Amino acid sequence: MYSDDDAMLEFAKQWYPYGGGDDSDIFVEFGLPASAYFRRLAKLVEGSRGRRLSSEQRHGIRTVVRSRLVRRQTAA
């Protein structure tokens, strides 16, 4: 069974080298504002599904998540 969580991780794997994807693409794909997507993604990467990622992917996704969430906090 392929879940929303799996889809989020697949999206993150594709887009972390490019900064995580555009806010509008995230909304269209998952129906979530980017801030909610990145908060959920942060939990996924640290959970059991995150262990399926390579260490490079985990590190890259964590870096993007931190960057995107900090950017949102400073913009608010």
Side-chain angles (χ1 to χ4, degrees):
M1 186 165 132
Y2 195 71
S3 70
D4 289 341
D5 291 346
D6 293 326
M8 286 183 172
L9 285 171
E10 284 302 312
F11 185 91
K13 283 172 26 180
Q14 288 182 303
W15 284 101
Y16 83 85
Y18 310 104
D22 188 67
D23 289 2
S24 61
D25 292 333
I26 291 167
F27 186 78
V28 168
E29 189 75 24
F30 302 107
L32 295 171
S35 58
Y37 164 80
F38 284 109
R39 284 192 305 270
R40 186 166 167 186
L41 183 58
K43 291 178 183 177
L44 291 173
V45 169
E46 300 307 323
S48 61
R49 283 185 169 91
R51 289 186 216 117
R52 298 181 204 160
L53 302 169
S54 71
S55 60
E56 177 185 335
Q57 290 169 330
R58 271 193 315 277
H59 175 73
I61 292 169
R62 284 178 181 141
T63 300
V64 168
V65 166
R66 279 192 299 270
S67 172
R68 295 290 289 267
L69 290 176
V70 166
R71 186 180 338 161
R72 299 226 173 276
Q73 290 174 351
T74 58

